[in-house]
Amino acid sequence: MGVSTTTLDGVAEIVVDAPPVNALTVAGWYELAGAVLAAGRDPEVGAVVLRAEGRGFNAGVDIKEMQRTEGHTALVGANRGCFAAFAAVYDCEVPVVAAVHGYCLGGGVGLAGNADIVVASEDAYFGLPEVDRGALGAATHLARLVPQHLMRAMVYTCRNVTAAELHHHGSVLEVVPGDGLRAKALEVAAAIAAKDRYVIRRAKESLNGIDPVDVRRSYRYEQGFTFELNLVGAGDAHRDAFVGREAR
């Protein structure tokens, strides 16, 4: 359980395994951030595959941890941990291929949206349930996956979209059967890792440099509204309702 890294033939495969739903604790987000940055710093690595075990890619933050922790320590930790993990994917010195299966929600969108390439299984779907949880955030990353008006509709209504829809928009490179997802992600990463390592690293750096949106600043701005929602009590109310539903 946790985050593991295996490197073979220039590809670092980072696997998240945090049962039951890959909703990460504060420590989990920081562990993931460290693993991604370490893989990018390894001179033997030319590309990273980020994937998960279990029923889905990522279900966001561990709301139960947040609600059982006194004060705002876990809330602040989760926000900072997510910021660190999303930034690590974006700042990783080599391209990151996200292999998404099942649900990709909340923090999962933050990871996939900051990845360089996304491949997905046929059962994959993406969404931001934040409004229903009394929070905001990761619209910055969702906007990298879907057009603006669809992004807004997804935020306001908490609607999900399928991998097939994202393939139509061009943000998912390929949609494959679930049993072929890992192989496809490794194939794409291997094609990148086979290139000149120095050139690929400069390509990643140059593409980040021409992005029209500063994803770190944009996401941090969103997070400010999450803290406001907590100050007025909306965050706790919605999270308590969610935890209560889960317990039934």
Side-chain angles (χ1 to χ4, degrees):
M1 182 169 125
V3 179
S4 62
T5 303
T6 305
T7 302
L8 181 65
D9 296 331
V11 175
E13 183 180 14
I14 298 174
V15 181
V16 176
D17 186 8
V21 295
N22 288 327
L24 296 183
T25 61
V26 172
W29 287 110
Y30 280 110
E31 183 181 4
L32 178 56
V36 173
L37 290 176
R41 294 188 189 112
D42 185 344
E44 298 303 313
V45 170
V48 169
V49 168
L50 176 59
R51 67 176 188 87
E53 294 289 345
R55 305 201 310 261
F57 177 70
N58 188 279
V61 302
D62 187 340
I63 293 177
K64 293 178 181 178
E65 177 190 43
M66 201 174 293
Q67 293 311 95
R68 68 173 175 260
T69 304
E70 290 293 327
H72 295 119
T73 303
L75 171 67
V76 174
N79 274 266
R80 287 191 171 276
C82 283
F83 184 91
F86 302 168
V89 173
Y90 187 80
D91 293 331
C92 182
E93 294 180 31
V94 298
V96 176
V97 179
V100 178
H101 75 286
Y103 44 78
C104 180
L105 302 171
V109 169
L111 297 171
N114 265 3
D116 296 273
I117 296 171
V118 181
V119 294
S121 61
E122 293 169 336
D123 69 340
Y125 61 94
F126 303 71
L128 290 183
E130 266 68 358
V131 163
D132 284 344
R133 304 288 184 267
L136 293 169
T140 292
H141 314 93
L142 182 60
R144 296 165 66 83
L145 296 171
V146 302
Q148 279 289 320
H149 282 84
L150 178 55
M151 178 271 288
R152 287 172 178 261
M154 290 176 67
V155 170
Y156 299 150
T157 68
C158 300
R159 166 190 168 179
N160 298 325
V161 296
T162 65
E165 289 176 88
L166 293 192
H167 184 258
H168 172 75
H169 293 302
S171 49
V172 165
L173 180 66
E174 293 195 45
V175 179
V176 298
D179 59 4
L181 177 62
R182 177 174 179 264
K184 175 56 66 176
L186 290 172
E187 176 189 321
V188 173
I192 297 169
K195 307 295 184 184
D196 182 296
R197 300 280 166 78
Y198 185 84
V199 175
I200 281 296
R201 287 166 183 266
R202 298 296 73 74
K204 173 71 182 270
E205 185 178 6
S206 69
L207 292 178
N208 281 6
I210 64 171
D211 261 341
V213 174
D214 182 333
V215 294
R216 300 175 206 78
R217 188 188 318 178
S218 180
Y219 179 52
R220 199 63 176 149
Y221 180 82
E222 288 187 80
Q223 287 185 315
F225 289 94
T226 293
F227 290 121
E228 178 181 328
L229 291 172
N230 277 277
L231 284 172
V232 301
D236 264 330
H238 286 281
R239 288 194 302 272
D240 283 342
F242 172 78
V243 170
R245 289 194 299 273
E246 289 286 296
R248 289 201 294 269

